């Protein structure tokens, strides 16, 4: 038989085990209650997230719709020159250029592969604000503001970056408006210099000209090309044009069926030929130190500093 000491020790061990078990049960119950509370709290948070997500979606849709409506209204109003002059009198036009630049970057980041339907609020918004810029650039003071304002210059740079990555067909409406913006900018002397120095722009125009599916864009590209080749300042830029442009394709277009395409293609080739002849006829520079004219910096470029503009450059209708 077990001794009294052993019995006492065994009873104490059992009591300790029971106490430990009770302690574990209490901890378990506490943890269970805490877990239940956390699950309940998590459920409330998930409900709030769902609610906020719906609110955000509603706000996003509302903002897109509002931007679409207001953008189209201002776009339509900006077809009138007095309206553009009023816009130029405000101190917010530089901020507007910044908004357009940022929106264009964001839009291309989101829709670089396929543009949304042209009737969607997103498409209408980006088209309208770019259309406003095109109309601002349709008057001399407007394009001078764009090429002299830091935000305006940044917008032009973003247009250079966006044009090559805009998807074909679905992005044609946006590409059309951006080409109009650049055409209007090219009529300003400072803007012309900016465009002539962009090899990426020349490559983009070359691709559009070579594409058979976009006749309207081809006309706009040739029209812009006619403008930026009209007054080629030096041999280096002439060589860029001759290297990057599909001259054989342009030669073929000169004899094509479309009258507009024939006209612009012929003008581009004539401009290149004239520039080459002019540079070949230039007298040799005298010896000694000199500063080439094409390296001089003009303080302020005058509007369309050309002795005689071709008929296609005299008017820049609003869109």
């Amino acid at each position: 038989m077990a001794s009294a000491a052993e019995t006492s020790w065994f009873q104490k061990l059992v009591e300790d085990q029971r106490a430990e078990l009770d302690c574990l049960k209490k901890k378990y119950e506490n943890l269970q209650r805490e877990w239940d509370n956390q699950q309940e709290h998590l459920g409330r948070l998930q409900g709030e997230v769902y609610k906020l997500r719906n609110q955000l979606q509603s706000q996003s849709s509302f903002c897109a719709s509002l931007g679409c409506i207001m953008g189209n209204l201002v776009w339509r109003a900006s077809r009138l020159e007095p309206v553009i002059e009023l816009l130029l009198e405000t101190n917010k036009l530089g901020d507007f250029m910044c908004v357009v630049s940022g929106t264009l970057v964001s839009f291309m980041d989101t829709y670089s592969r396929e543009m949304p339907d042209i009737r969607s609020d997103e498409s209408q918004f980006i088209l309208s604000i770019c259309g406003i810029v095109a109309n601002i650039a349709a008057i001399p003071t407007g394009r001078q503001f764009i090429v002299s304002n830091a935000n305006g210059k940044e917008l032009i740079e973003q247009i250079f970056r966006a044009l090559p990555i805009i998807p074909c067909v679905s992005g044609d409406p946006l590409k059309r408006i951006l080409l109009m913006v650049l055409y209007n900018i090219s009529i300003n002397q400072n803007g012309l210099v900016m465009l002539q120095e962009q090899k990426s722009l020349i490559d983009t125009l070359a691709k559009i000209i070579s594409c058979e599916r976009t006749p309207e864009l081809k006309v706009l590209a040739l029209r812009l090309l006619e403008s930026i080749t009209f007054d080629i300042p030096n041999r280096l830029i002439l060589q860029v044009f001759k290297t990057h442009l599909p001259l054989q394709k342009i030669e073929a277009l000169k004899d094509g069926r479309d009258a507009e395409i024939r006209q612009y293609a012929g003008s581009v080739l004539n401009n290149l030929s004239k520039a080459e002849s002019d540079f070949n006829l230039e007298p040799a520079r005298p010896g000694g130190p000199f500063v080439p004219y094409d390296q001089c910096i003009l303080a302020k470029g005058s509007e369309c500093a050309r002795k005689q503009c071709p008929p296609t450059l005299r008017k820049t209708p609003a869109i």
Side-chain angles (χ1 to χ4, degrees), residues 122-169:
E122 293 84 356
S123 290
Q124 287 294 306
F125 178 60
I126 190 68
L127 292 175
S128 64
I129 60 177
C130 290
I132 294 168
V133 175
N135 288 347
I136 291 173
I139 68 172
T141 51
R143 47 184 170 264
Q144 179 61 32
F145 174 86
I146 293 174
V147 300
S148 59
N149 178 269
N151 291 333
K153 292 178 182 178
E154 176 61 23
L155 173 57
I156 296 174
E157 291 291 335
Q158 293 302 335
I159 292 175
F160 291 149
R161 297 188 185 104
L163 274 174
I165 61 175
I166 295 177
C168 292
V169 184

Side-chain angles (χ1 to χ4, degrees), residues 60 66 81 97 131 134 235:
S60 177
L66 179 62
E81 187 170 334
M97 296 295 163
R235 286 188 177 90

Side-chain angles (χ1 to χ4, degrees), residues 23 44 103 140 159 169 205 212 259 282 311:
C23 182
R44 288 196 299 269
T103 304
I159 292 175
V169 184
L205 295 179
E212 299 297 336
E282 280 185 352

Side-chain angles (χ1 to χ4, degrees), residues 295-316:
Q295 294 182 19
C296 296
I297 299 176
L298 299 178
K300 290 185 179 179
S302 59
E303 176 68 17
C304 195
R306 309 169 187 182
K307 293 183 179 179
Q308 184 178 2
C309 293
T312 53
L313 297 182
R314 291 176 186 165
K315 293 183 179 180
T316 54

Side-chain angles (χ1 to χ4, degrees), residues 104-117 162-172 174-175 213:
L104 183 60
V105 172
S106 177
F107 188 83
M108 292 311 306
D109 287 343
T110 306
Y111 301 110
S112 59
R113 293 187 177 182
E114 183 73 20
M115 296 289 180
D117 188 273
L163 274 174
I165 61 175
I166 295 177
C168 292
V169 184
S170 64
D172 286 355
L174 177 60
K175 194 177 295 185
R213 296 183 302 174

Side-chain angles (χ1 to χ4, degrees), residues 71-92:
N72 275 285
L73 288 175
V74 179
W75 187 11
R76 183 176 293 273
S78 67
R79 296 176 183 177
L80 303 175
E81 187 170 334
V83 173
I84 301 176
E85 291 173 350
L86 286 174
L87 293 176
L88 289 168
E89 291 176 3
T90 69
N91 59 352
K92 295 296 183 181

